[in-house]
Amino acid sequence: MPCYALEGVVPVVDPGAYVHPTAVLIGDVIVGPGCYVGPCASLRGDFGRIVLERGSNVQDNCTVHGFPDQDTVIEEDGHIGHGAVLHGCVVRRDALVGMNAVVMDEAEIGAGAIVAACAFVPAGMKVPARSLVAGLPARVRRMLGDEELAWKQEGTQTYQELTRRCLAGMAEVQPLATPQPHRPRMQWPDVRSLIATRRG
């Protein structure tokens, strides 16, 4: 992976974490055990510290940055969806930030909360635990039920399994010119969207 020290501060990646080779880590970045960092994610610890705690994930095309003397933290089992931007904020344990959402400086996403896709969480906002926020700017819409929290936890566990699978079996290859006969499919347990889960 492109990994850069800055003024003697070297990123830290636990051996049990998976960081995709195209992700970029700069300076004061700490990636804990069981974490997943996806393709083309940018973790720029060139101003303030970035911390990914155990089992959290930062998916493809995410940007994480902050200000000096301010840590940007994703606590244990935090889940950051594709293309999200985090800047100088804290995502508490078991919270989810949806795809293409933006969370600004000194905002705090409470434990078990969900930030909807494409939401904008303004600077300083304190999102209550186990709440759903959505909109531009984000507003609290309602509290989350047990089913929704369980769905989020299953999704995070899927990324933790992906971490293990990538550590064990990800390899750079040349593409095939044509699909081989009886092309295999990726084998996963029953991973479904929330809407599919509700349909049963």
Side-chain angles (χ1 to χ4, degrees), residues 30-198:
I30 302 170
V31 179
C35 292
Y36 174 89
V37 179
C40 300
S42 174
L43 280 64
R44 283 183 47 207
D46 49 11
F47 284 7
R49 177 170 293 169
I50 296 168
V51 179
L52 277 59
E53 294 185 0
R54 178 183 297 274
S56 61
N57 68 77
V58 174
Q59 297 171 21
D60 39 307
N61 299 310
C62 289
T63 301
V64 184
H65 196 230
F67 280 116
D69 300 321
Q70 182 178 7
D71 293 355
T72 303
V73 179
I74 303 165
E75 290 187 349
E76 187 169 347
D77 296 336
H79 190 106
I80 312 302
H82 317 289
V85 177
L86 305 183
H87 203 277
C89 58
V90 175
V91 177
R92 295 290 181 203
R93 183 175 184 158
D94 221 16
L96 181 149
V97 175
M99 294 181 265
N100 289 314
V102 176
V103 183
M104 291 299 294
D105 303 291
E106 298 183 35
E108 182 178 322
I109 310 304
I114 293 179
V115 176
C118 297
F120 177 80
V121 178
M125 182 176 186
K126 306 301 182 197
V127 173
R130 289 192 66 159
S131 66
L132 170 68
V133 297
L136 301 168
R139 291 187 299 120
V140 176
R141 304 298 172 147
R142 59 182 173 79
M143 301 310 289
L144 295 169
D146 291 342
E147 175 196 40
E148 292 164 310
L149 188 57
W151 168 80
K152 183 271 165 196
Q153 290 167 341
E154 288 172 10
T156 301
Q157 289 164 6
T158 299
Y159 268 89
Q160 291 165 350
E161 176 62 18
L162 180 60
T163 296
R164 292 186 285 272
R165 290 176 69 160
C166 288
L167 286 170
M170 178 78 76
E172 187 171 359
V173 297
Q174 291 298 314
L176 301 173
T178 59
Q180 67 268 53
H182 310 293
R183 179 176 175 83
R185 290 186 178 270
M186 299 302 299
Q187 297 299 309
W188 278 96
D190 189 20
V191 178
R192 296 185 296 169
S193 68
L194 182 58
I195 192 167
T197 301
R198 288 179 170 160

